[in-house]
Amino acid sequence: DVDLREVAERTAGFSGADLANLANEAAILAARHNKTKINQIELLESIEKVLLGPERKSHILSKKEKKIAAYHEAGHALVSSLIPDTEPVRKISIIARGMAAGYTLKMPAEEKKIITKSEFLAELAVLLGGYCAEKLKFNEITTGAANDLEKASDLARRLVKEYGMSALGPISFGEKEELVFLGKEISEQRNYSEKVAAKIDEEVKKFIIEAENRAKKLLTKKLALLDKIAKTLIEKETIEKEEFEKLIKDNS
Amino acid sequence: DVDLREVAERTAGFSGADLANLANEAAILAARHNKTKINQIELLESIEKVLLGPERKSHILSKKEKKIAAYHEAGHALVSSLIPDTEPVRKISIIARGMAAGYTLKMPAEEKKIITKSEFLAELAVLLGGYCAEKLKFNEITTGAANDLEKASDLARRLVKEYGMSALGPISFGEKEELVFLGKEISEQRNYSEKVAAKIDEEVKKFIIEAENRAKKLLTKKLALLDKIAKTLIEKETIEKEEFEKLIKDNS
Amino acid sequence: DVDLREVAERTAGFSGADLANLANEAAILAARHNKTKINQIELLESIEKVLLGPERKSHILSKKEKKIAAYHEAGHALVSSLIPDTEPVRKISIIARGMAAGYTLKMPAEEKKIITKSEFLAELAVLLGGYCAEKLKFNEITTGAANDLEKASDLARRLVKEYGMSALGPISFGEKEELVFLGKEISEQRNYSEKVAAKIDEEVKKFIIEAENRAKKLLTKKLALLDKIAKTLIEKETIEKEEFEKLIKDNS
Amino acid sequence: DVDLREVAERTAGFSGADLANLANEAAILAARHNKTKINQIELLESIEKVLLGPERKSHILSKKEKKIAAYHEAGHALVSSLIPDTEPVRKISIIARGMAAGYTLKMPAEEKKIITKSEFLAELAVLLGGYCAEKLKFNEITTGAANDLEKASDLARRLVKEYGMSALGPISFGEKEELVFLGKEISEQRNYSEKVAAKIDEEVKKFIIEAENRAKKLLTKKLALLDKIAKTLIEKETIEKEEFEKLIKDNS
Amino acid sequence: DVDLREVAERTAGFSGADLANLANEAAILAARHNKTKINQIELLESIEKVLLGPERKSHILSKKEKKIAAYHEAGHALVSSLIPDTEPVRKISIIARGMAAGYTLKMPAEEKKIITKSEFLAELAVLLGGYCAEKLKFNEITTGAANDLEKASDLARRLVKEYGMSALGPISFGEKEELVFLGKEISEQRNYSEKVAAKIDEEVKKFIIEAENRAKKLLTKKLALLDKIAKTLIEKETIEKEEFEKLIKDNS
Amino acid sequence: DVDLREVAERTAGFSGADLANLANEAAILAARHNKTKINQIELLESIEKVLLGPERKSHILSKKEKKIAAYHEAGHALVSSLIPDTEPVRKISIIARGMAAGYTLKMPAEEKKIITKSEFLAELAVLLGGYCAEKLKFNEITTGAANDLEKASDLARRLVKEYGMSALGPISFGEKEELVFLGKEISEQRNYSEKVAAKIDEEVKKFIIEAENRAKKLLTKKLALLDKIAKTLIEKETIEKEEFEKLIKDNS
């Protein structure tokens, strides 16, 4: 009853502890379902719980928030589907999980050891898809994008400072040092001048603005499809992979 | 005897500890009132105590201070009532509580998960309402606004640095790091250049000055109503929601 | 035998520990005076001891120092008496107490909860009164003003950074953080740019220079009265409230 | 059965702990091979394990990643073989070891006590060989070069700050201080001005850009040979010294 | 046998611990001299030991060093005698004590509570007297002045930052904070901008350069007298107050 | 059998612990030599061991490294012999000791208490002698000079910041503070502005460049003698004082 290939694909990147946690959650779930064996359904549900934290059904969104969350997640998913170099969308949801009002789940088919600049640029555009969708639809910015902006900014900084992917060239900036007496804490020692710090900021800004423009342009062109995905989400709260792919195909 | 809906609305955002505290305070109060059951009145009074600290009747304001505090709180309340995107005013008071000479109580009807830029801009204007009312009426600035300025400045910084709501665009600035060995202490690591720091300061200033101008303009237009609210406050020390709404309606 | 109103006025701002300390000192003093009850005289003397530390009669000033101290304290007292928004002078002395060569005692009639910008500007001018009097009389600057300059500079910084009272507007600068592991230590985290730091310095300077000019102008106009107060001080070492007020009145 | 000279050459730079570790690994390996004595083969395999960490066969690269890794390692090896002042390449591999997707093994024939600027410049070009090969072949930059960039940048900084090898002349910049209470932690105290910090950054950039140009130029000229090495690597996963030298010779 | 007035004058500024130490040293000395009572001679010798540390006769200066030390100390003493607002010179010596190659002893006739800017400017010139004498005589600068330069620079910084004695006006710069967990350590928190830091440096420089010019000018005018004092010092190693005053008087 | 004068001269600057260490080493050595008394030879050998660490005969230099080390040490020794104000060279060696590939031993005839700027400038030129010799002979820079550059740069910084020997004048920059909780750690608190920091860097650079030019000029003029010393060193590994002086005399 278990499709191991699907489980393996969806748990790519899991640590040993994550896998132990997963087995445990699936067993609990099977017990709740009065089963003596774990089936695919318990495994898949547990994978999401391990990845995103428990669903928070009590954490109900207002109508206005639901609409914002729907367009936000639809933005991520649509940009992702329109850009090559991205992994397929597996699930979109506006049921609150952990701290987030909604989520879009993409999982790599296999664990990557090497990531290219093109893939990172695609990731940046997808991350800004939620922000752009909200702005486009409501002419408004909300706190819902804060986590995406943090991730995108951190990633852009890494492109410039660690991966030599900006106009600053193949130089590494900033020494990481583990502060042993503080446990796991890692702090960066600034080993460059203010002048270089300002150039790094400019390159980071360029990456973010390019990603924003890319996402905005794609969403503007496919506004009707964005509306459709968002409306489906408001209605059903969750869209699975197959349905999402059908939505995209029917509207291309 | 208990209107649970009202209690729920007024305790939105309460933690478990706050709720336990509330139950305790209400029980003490009921005992003092020689009751064997907690009623609505004990619950409402206890909610305020939990929210604001105990009343400090001994902490008496001078006549001059009372007048300043009254105009200050009237400023907050009036700006709030004149701006859409704000929650209704529930209570205004110039009885000292905790460190404050007075307070204006607004509680959201429901817990928000997503907050919009418009709502934040409204909050900024309300926060500056007290400062503007004092300046308008007495052509004077006092220490009474210090806490409002701190809150408004912190909020404006967050709009720029965390929420991508300023001209600097959808970039996140500053890495927060929890210093584990210091307990709950959270410190920000400046991961940007002096040049960007200066731009952040400019954007923060723009938000504050816009909010000040918005509050000033609204209060200038409704100066008679400001006087009325302030005078009522000086006289009665506390204005409840219904009375405040009537004051607004009668004078529009 | 005890005028409680006078005691209450003079102990405004006292903590519980200060009051316990006061009771103790007064009891010791009464015992020394072979009394079985504490009278007003013991209370008043003890209030000063609690406020300023014990008199240091052994700590004798040279003739030159006495003259400087007298003009310094006369400067504070005279500027205070010439400016509205200040509390009345209660005592001037050039008997060394604690670290200071002399002191001017002003106590608020009541504890203030709200302080206005005008009151702060008056306080700044009074603080610079000693410095200006020395400069005016001896064309000399001494270490006697160091503590006043520190207080004035700290206050001016607060006007700019916490109270929104300068041209920088109603913005709060600098996050205070309690470093829990260091006990009571409070350190400020600079959350603004060098550019703003320089503007803050300019505004602080403006406040101090304005206060200096105000004090200088007032003392220059009343130089004869300054001489009179200083000479009286040199002669008597201490001037009480009534005598000071008479000096002012007789010479206006 | 043991060629001690070869073992000595390949373990140049090993610490006592490394050698103990080596003996241990070789003994385990010999036991696994059902031998009662350690032979050359166990020693050589163990040397690599001590140097690079265990092979991670489970850590399988995708086809695309394999191709990138092959060109990356071929880039290092080819640049190394084309530059004087570098040690001979001993092994190239695209079997993941530790964190790396592949590796190129060069070991000095003897431990060096003095290193010249020419040798360092050669090392910089070799370090950038992987980055340049990827860019040249795929017009793409990947995370695979991050570790090389960090090493190259650190080395370039040392040339400027410790060895007096840049246009800044024979001056040492930055005081190293061992923070005793943090154990082995070494932090640098910046004992120079922002102006010098900016000049150091410029010199570092010059070193890196020169090394990049040198590697790029060499690889562009020998593109066919680069293809050949990469293809052989994709096919065989590992190229030993003799085969590599034959590849170079046959294609010169 | 004891002139208490002289002892009191020379021990001005002594702490209780210093006085206890003094009594002890004098008793030891008297015992060594086979006396049963402490006389003036033991007291005076012990005062110097408490003030300066034990004589280091083993620490013998070379002929060249002796000459440098003699001119250095003669420089201090001569500048001191030529400037009003300074205390009389009590002793000059080129016998090494503690870390210093020589010393010039000046003790205030009475403990000062208030110090004027004029007195500080005189002190700065005296501190630079040694440096200037060496430069004037040998056209050379030596490490012998390092301690004087540190004292002079610290003092000049205080004039600017604590006492309001520079062109920056009556503003206090820098918050001192006691770091409780570090014991007695006091560190200054820079509460001003780079722009002000640069102005402080300029003012400090002005004070030091003025003092240098003042000392240089005085010594240049009295070069013969400088030679005479230095030669006497080389010959006798120590010059007491009376002899020094005679030297000055005979050569004016 | 012991020439105490020679021992005293060569141990100038030794601490008590060093002397204890010396006695110990000499006793061990005498025991190894089967002697019952320590002779001059054991004392001299032990002095070097205490000064420089044990010889590392196993740490053998390659032919190329030997040549570089020989010219490096010859550079130090030759510059030293050509400049007045330096102590005589006692020994040159290219036998590795501690971390260094070679060493040049100069010991002051007597402990200095006062050091002049001329002596420091001579020391700077000697320190740069190794670097210049390598550059002159091989047109190459190596890691062998790193320690010299660090010492020279530290010394140049002290000339500027502690001894008032640069164009910045007799001002002391930087407060040293002992961090008691870190044991012996000494950290400098920067008490000056960026502007002054940049000026300090310029002055440091001037000192280093002047020293480099001085050493270069001297070595260029005496290139044949440099070759001779280096060749002798390569041949004999160690040159003692008398032989060195003969080499210099024979070739002047």
Side-chain angles (χ1 to χ4, degrees), chain D residues 17-208:
Chain D
D18 292 338
L19 291 170
N21 198 355
L22 169 62
N24 205 30
E25 291 288 346
I28 291 169
L29 216 57
R32 276 202 202 130
H33 295 174
N34 285 319
K35 294 181 182 171
T36 53
K37 275 166 70 183
I38 295 170
N39 286 10
Q40 189 72 355
I41 192 166
E42 284 89 19
L43 277 171
L44 296 190
E45 203 178 325
S46 300
I47 288 171
E48 270 169 42
K49 191 162 174 197
V50 169
L51 266 177
L52 301 164
E55 283 192 5
R56 296 177 57 180
K57 293 246 164 102
S58 69
H59 205 117
I60 299 157
L61 298 178
S62 72
K63 209 163 184 179
K64 181 180 159 194
E65 288 175 331
K66 216 168 196 170
K67 205 175 163 189
I68 293 173
Y71 272 89
H72 186 102
E73 298 305 327
H76 285 312
L78 184 51
V79 171
S80 182
S81 77
L82 296 172
I83 292 185
D85 296 311
T86 61
E87 304 304 327
V89 168
R90 286 192 180 276
K91 189 176 186 176
I92 326 173
S93 173
I94 55 170
I95 298 173
R97 264 182 183 281
M99 286 285 68
Y103 57 93
T104 296
L105 211 61
K106 296 183 306 158
M107 250 183 318
E110 38 184 336
E111 231 179 306
K112 275 187 198 166
K113 267 125 273 141
I114 298 174
I115 306 173
T116 65
K117 184 179 170 182
S118 310
E119 287 164 353
F120 280 139
L121 296 186
E123 199 178 330
L124 285 178
V126 173
L127 278 167
L128 283 158
Y131 177 89
C132 289
E134 291 186 45
K135 225 173 153 180
L136 212 62
K137 185 64 192 178
F138 308 108
N139 196 26
E140 177 72 280
I141 307 172
T142 76
T143 53
N147 196 250
D148 299 333
L149 302 190
E150 196 183 335
K151 274 190 200 158
S153 301
D154 285 357
L155 178 52
R157 288 195 177 272
R158 263 182 293 133
L159 300 198
V160 180
K161 291 171 68 182
E162 288 177 31
Y163 302 142
M165 292 177 178
S166 81
L168 292 186
I171 308 174
S172 192
F173 298 101
E175 274 175 290
K176 274 191 189 126
E177 55 175 329
E178 209 182 323
L179 292 173
V180 282
F181 76 111
L182 296 180
K184 64 185 182 296
E185 211 65 21
I186 299 246
S187 108
E188 193 219 61
Q189 213 187 353
R190 191 182 273 197
N191 64 352
Y192 44 87
S193 61
E194 256 304 305
K195 218 164 151 180
V196 161
K199 277 185 193 160
I200 290 171
D201 284 339
E202 281 168 35
E203 294 299 313
V204 167
K205 180 159 199 172
K206 265 196 249 167
F207 276 126
I208 297 290

Side-chain angles (χ1 to χ4, degrees), chain C residues 52-86:
Chain C
L52 301 165
E55 284 193 5
R56 296 178 57 179
K57 293 245 165 103
S58 69
H59 204 119
I60 299 158
L61 300 177
S62 72
K63 206 162 186 181
K64 182 179 156 196
E65 289 175 330
K66 215 170 196 169
K67 204 175 163 189
I68 293 172
Y71 272 89
H72 185 101
E73 297 306 327
H76 285 311
L78 183 51
V79 171
S80 182
S81 78
L82 295 172
I83 291 185
D85 297 311
T86 63

Side-chain angles (χ1 to χ4, degrees), chain A residues 17-35:
Chain A
D18 291 339
L19 290 171
N21 199 353
L22 169 62
N24 206 29
E25 290 289 345
I28 291 169
L29 216 59
R32 273 199 207 134
H33 296 174
N34 286 318
K35 293 182 185 173

